Amino acid sequence: MSESIGNTGTGMKLHTKILLALVVGATAGIAANLTLGGDDGRVEWVNTYLAGPVGQVFLRLLFMIVMPLVFSSIALGVAGLGDLKKVGKVGGKAISYFFVTTAFAATFGLVMVNIIKPGESIPEEVRTELMATYAEDAAGKIEAQQTGGFGINTFVNIVTRNPVKSAADGDMLGIIFFGLMFGAALTQLKPEVAKPMLDVLQAINDVVIVIVGMAMKLAPYGVAGLIFGVTSRFGFALLKPLAGYVTVVMAALLLHMFVNLSLILKFVIGINPITYFSRIKGALVTAFSTSSSSATLPAALRASQENLGVPPKIAGFVLPLGSTMCMNGTSIFEGITVIFLCQVFGVDLSIGGMAIVMIMSVITAIGAAGVPGGSIPLLVGILAMMGVPGEGIAIVLGVDRILDMTRTVVNVSSDISASVFVAKSEGLWDESMVPPAGQTAA
Ligand code: ASP
């Protein structure tokens, strides 16, 4: 299985091919932007009829299987754990890990943005210009926030009224809840009654993984198309006035991943960080190219089970939850962005205000959907709370894609670490199963 997904038949590993495609797509996009310009007819033609469609087909193939995959792996995971007490214990551990690491990440981001203060150097005219460019986009996000804001109903709505509708609407939490109930109910049946359904769920899971393998064959082309779309339109022009902000977010994300998370990996979980990251690089490349924790779920499951020795019943339970709840990168991004915009608009925050930003960054990171730009509507909500005009989001939208790609990598790194943490604390992590370097799936 891992062979067919990991290798492309040309002898080159799939993730190497994807990385190459990323570089080629980005270079071509920047070259097109610099020589012809982002709104040149030919560049637009390539985006509309070639790069865009190929990128979308790749993303759609992954999204196509996310719902059946989440449902079957959660139900199987819960049923595999056996009794409900165990489910509660494992779930409690996973959620505590999500929560603690996300809060730590948000605090780290806030400290960085307060030290560097990138918002104070943005000139007034640049601010006005950026807001005018993205005003329309921002209006859409603000509307989305108003219809789907965060409140008590966020929790009530997790209990889906109609799982089929949830699946159709991409309501991941609804499907997770249905999968939990389904798996929990299976544990209450006599084994011989439950077996046919467990076999069906297992078969769905296996089929979906094969489809993922097929989709991943398209990944290099899809990734090249997606990155060409972004770079050909925006080039470097946008990066200049926002360079300070982009640098702080990127630095905080990378430091969190390679320093903070590495310390957790080494001292809390007991795995060498270099071994860890080299075992999950296929999933990280997928996260970077799709900007979606949900679309990366199949790759994360594979990395966790095949390359890190986490048993399927733990990975299948922790990772779907983590792909929507554990977002270390998103909480860093949200905290920094809110403070950055407060600095730009001259909103003075007290230490209490800072604490609210930190808490809201954690809550909204947990509540954000694992899709490209999933956290943006929730971010608009925090901005409104802090007294920053919601339209301020327009300032950062233009550079969000690259930040989204990077924060999704951090989100997925923390998800997979949660699965190892829980497996270890349950005494179910078979460390000897971590294969030596060079023998892993992509
Ligand atoms: N794209 C992110 C993810 O899927 C969510 C976000 O921060 O927008 O993990």
Side-chain angles (χ1 to χ4, degrees):
M1 177 79 265
S2 57
E3 276 294 299
S4 65
I5 293 176
N7 290 327
T8 56
T10 55
M12 198 192 275
K13 280 264 195 184
L14 180 61
H15 60 255
T16 316
K17 232 180 156 184
I18 297 179
L19 272 179
L20 213 67
L22 207 67
V23 175
V24 171
T27 315
I30 291 173
N33 183 279
L34 293 181
T35 53
L36 303 170
D39 37 22
D40 179 84
R42 285 159 294 181
V43 176
E44 268 176 18
W45 190 91
V46 172
N47 274 324
T48 314
Y49 294 106
L50 198 68
V54 177
Q56 283 308 318
V57 166
F58 166 60
L59 273 185
R60 280 166 173 260
L61 280 171
L62 288 178
F63 280 124
M64 178 172 85
I65 42 87
V66 161
M67 288 300 163
L69 179 65
V70 168
F71 173 68
S72 59
S73 54
I74 285 263
L76 280 171
V78 172
L81 286 173
D83 69 275
L84 289 182
K85 257 215 235 111
K86 193 113 192 234
V87 173
K89 197 164 130 241
V90 172
K93 274 185 194 167
I95 291 172
S96 312
Y97 183 90
F98 299 163
F99 193 80
V100 171
T101 55
T102 307
F104 182 63
T107 313
F108 179 68
L110 289 181
V111 170
M112 286 216 28
V113 71
N114 274 300
I115 295 175
I116 303 176
K117 298 195 184 359
E120 289 179 0
S121 55
I122 301 267
E124 171 76 35
E125 61 284 3
V126 173
R127 191 174 83 190
T128 323
E129 194 188 311
L130 283 168
M131 281 182 56
T133 318
Y134 288 97
E136 212 173 289
D137 254 9
K141 311 279 176 192
I142 291 166
E143 205 173 300
Q145 197 279 328
Q146 277 157 357
T147 46
F150 195 88
I152 182 72
N153 279 340
T154 313
F155 297 101
V156 175
N157 290 342
I158 291 175
V159 183
T160 173
R161 213 199 302 236
N162 179 347
V164 178
K165 184 167 188 308
S166 290
D169 291 346
D171 163 21
M172 186 96 138
L173 285 177
I175 289 297
I176 287 182
F177 186 81
F178 182 60
L180 280 172
M181 293 293 284
F182 205 88
L186 278 171
T187 66
Q188 307 296 299
L189 298 177
K190 285 206 193 86
E192 64 274 20
V193 182
K195 184 163 186 314
M197 182 47 87
L198 289 172
D199 288 344
V200 169
L201 288 170
Q202 188 57 54
I204 293 180
N205 211 282
D206 294 345
V207 167
V208 161
I209 299 286
V210 175
I211 299 180
V212 174
M214 297 171 176
M216 291 310 279
K217 291 222 159 63
L218 195 63
Y221 310 100
V223 165
L226 290 171
I227 194 82
F228 180 87
V230 181
T231 49
S232 65
R233 267 184 218 124
F234 301 126
F236 288 122
L238 254 173
L239 228 51
K240 246 187 260 154
L242 293 177
Y245 161 73
V246 172
T247 311
V248 175
V249 177
M250 290 293 226
L253 288 172
L254 295 178
L255 282 174
H256 179 71
M257 183 158 143
F258 292 117
V259 179
N260 300 346
L261 195 59
S262 293
L263 290 173
I264 296 176
L265 287 165
K266 180 140 184 62
F267 294 108
V268 180
I269 302 178
I271 182 169
N272 180 328
I274 297 173
T275 311
Y276 176 79
F277 287 115
S278 73
R279 297 300 185 272
I280 65 167
K281 56 181 183 275
L284 299 187
V285 171
T286 310
F288 190 70
S289 44
T290 61
S291 290
S292 165
S293 298
S294 300
T296 309
L297 183 58
L301 279 167
R302 203 170 60 238
S304 173
Q305 293 167 17
E306 292 179 18
N307 298 345
L308 288 169
V310 175
K313 63 182 171 194
I314 297 289
F317 177 66
V318 175
L319 286 172
L321 270 183
S323 71
T324 153
M325 290 180 69
C326 185
M327 297 206 179
N328 287 5
T330 295
S331 72
I332 291 180
F333 158 76
E334 297 205 8
I336 295 183
T337 306
V338 173
I339 303 299
F340 167 72
L341 290 174
C342 283
Q343 289 164 359
V344 171
F345 286 96
V347 176
D348 226 352
L349 283 182
S350 60
I351 193 86
M354 211 58 89
I356 293 178
V357 174
M358 185 258 174
I359 293 167
M360 288 311 292
S361 299
V362 174
I363 296 178
T364 51
I366 289 175
V371 297
S375 53
I376 300 292
L378 299 170
L379 182 60
V380 175
I382 317 185
L383 290 177
M385 241 176 112
M386 304 323 293
V388 175
E391 288 79 1
I393 195 76
I395 293 184
V396 297
L397 276 186
V399 287
D400 188 51
R401 184 72 194 196
I402 182 71
L403 300 181
D404 198 4
M405 293 163 85
T406 316
R407 69 182 179 258
T408 308
V409 169
V410 180
N411 291 346
V412 169
S413 309
S414 55
D415 293 347
I416 302 178
S417 72
S419 71
V420 187
F421 169 79
V422 174
K424 177 167 184 184
S425 72
E426 285 293 300
L428 292 170
W429 182 37
D430 186 0
E431 231 177 306
S432 64
M433 270 193 52
V434 179
Q439 290 179 20
T440 57

